[in-house]
Amino acid sequence: MSVLPPLRLGVNIDHVATVRNARGGKLPDPLRAAAIAAAAGADGITAHLREDRRHIIDTDIEGLIRELKIPLNFEMAATPEMVGIALKHRPHAACIVPEKREERTTEGGLDAAGQHNHLKPMITRLRDAGIRVSLFIEADPRQLDAAVALGAPVVELHTGRYCELAGAAQRAELSRLQKAAALCGKLGLECHAGHGLSYADVGPVAAIPEVRELNIGHFLVGEAIFVGLDQAIREMRRVMDQARTAGPSA
Ligand code: PXP
C-alpha cells in the first residue's frame, strides 16, 4: 500500500459528438454527457476542436464554457485559429496536440523539440491569458526538455502505443512512461497521460506516482453504449483508484 497524490480523471466527450454528427442534428448532446461525467466523479472535461470539426464543433465549446461546473481542458492544434478560439473562451487548460487531417485520431505526440519557434509565441500568449498549457508528447526525454524550454508547465504523455502493445513490448513501453514521468518530477513538469486507455490497461499508468491526471474518452463512450456513461465513468474511477492505492507496478 502506498499513499500517492490524488489522480484526476478528465473525461473526453469528443465521441459523443461523433455519434451526433453521424446523423447531423443535436443528439446525443455532448453537454449532457459532460454533466453526467461531472456527476459521476470526473474532475474535468476534455474536448478537442479539430480543424475539420469532425466531432466537437464551435458551439459545443461555447456551451461547455457557459455551462460546465468543472474545468475544461481544450485540446487544440498549434494554429492561429485555435489560439484565437482559446483566447476568446479562456478555458481552464489548453492541451496542444499534433493534428493531421488524414489521421483517424491523434497518432503521435507533438514534436515540441522540433517546433520551438512556432510553439513558443503561442504558449506564451495562452499562458499570459491564464490558461494552463500542456503539450501532448511521446515519453521521450528530448520532448520533456523541450517542454521546459517552451515554458509549458504540464505535459501529457501519449499512452496510445502502450495500449496497443502486449506482453514484454507493453512492459517496455510502460517502463518508458514510468521513466518519463519520473523525469517530469525532476524537471518540475506536471505529468498527465492519456490516449487509448481502458479498464484493461489503465491500472499500471494510474499507479505511476508522478502522473496527476488521465484523459480518457473513446473507451468510456463505447462502454456507455452497454452500461451507461455514469456507470462506465464510476468503474473507471474505481479501477484507477484501486491501482493507485496498490502502488507502482514493477
Ligand atoms: N489525450 C489527448 C491529448 C488526446 O488527443 C486524446 C484523444 O482525443 C485523449 C487523451 C483521449 O484518448 P481516448 O479517446 O483514446 O481515450
Side-chain angles (χ1 to χ4, degrees), residues 4 97 124:
L4 299 179
V97 302
T124 304

Side-chain angles (χ1 to χ4, degrees), residues 16-29 57:
V16 177
T18 303
V19 177
R20 175 196 60 196
N21 296 359
R23 279 288 171 95
K26 297 190 171 160
L27 302 176
D29 181 2
I57 57 176

Side-chain angles (χ1 to χ4, degrees), residues 36-250:
I36 291 170
D43 299 288
I45 296 297
T46 295
H48 184 181
L49 184 68
R50 291 187 80 103
E51 195 187 8
D52 62 9
R53 310 303 198 262
R54 70 174 71 156
H55 38 56
I56 294 293
I57 57 176
D58 298 66
T59 50
D60 295 326
I61 299 296
E62 286 157 19
L64 288 166
I65 291 288
R66 201 173 50 240
E67 291 178 27
L68 203 58
K69 305 277 188 300
I70 56 176
L72 174 65
N73 177 30
F74 177 66
E75 277 186 22
M76 52 173 274
T79 64
E81 182 200 13
M82 289 301 152
V83 171
I85 292 170
L87 293 176
K88 180 171 150 209
H89 293 305
R90 296 178 184 236
H92 166 77
C95 179
I96 302 181
V97 302
E99 207 175 288
K100 292 192 223 110
R101 260 178 199 263
E102 64 277 13
E103 70 191 354
R104 277 219 217 145
T105 180
T106 314
E107 283 166 1
L110 186 74
D111 182 14
Q115 292 191 72
H116 182 95
N117 294 346
H118 174 65
L119 293 171
K120 180 82 181 178
M122 297 193 186
I123 292 170
T124 304
R125 289 183 71 198
L126 294 167
R127 285 197 66 176
D128 287 351
I131 301 168
R132 188 199 70 187
V133 178
S134 70
L135 306 181
F136 187 47
I137 57 170
E138 296 294 330
D140 171 355
R142 238 180 98 239
Q143 299 297 347
L144 296 179
D145 286 339
V148 174
L150 285 163
V154 181
V155 294
E156 181 168 329
L157 302 178
H158 197 313
T159 52
R161 189 174 305 126
Y162 157 78
C163 294
E164 279 166 15
L165 294 169
Q170 189 180 48
R171 284 194 294 281
E173 185 61 20
L174 176 64
S175 163
R176 217 162 71 93
L177 291 164
Q178 289 166 326
K179 285 186 186 130
L183 186 53
C184 283
K186 292 200 185 89
L187 294 172
L189 292 165
E190 182 169 313
C191 185
H192 300 177
H195 208 285
L197 293 166
S198 70
Y199 301 149
D201 42 41
V202 75
V205 180
I208 300 174
E210 297 82 5
V211 173
R212 301 303 301 272
E213 179 176 309
L214 298 180
N215 284 298
I216 309 180
H218 183 266
F219 173 80
L220 289 173
V221 174
E223 193 65 8
I225 295 168
F226 305 108
V227 302
L229 189 57
D230 177 88
Q231 198 178 315
I233 292 169
R234 286 181 196 278
E235 176 62 7
M236 184 59 81
R237 261 250 77 102
R238 192 191 65 74
V239 176
M240 282 165 55
D241 292 346
Q242 192 178 51
R244 192 105 178 137
T245 307
S249 313

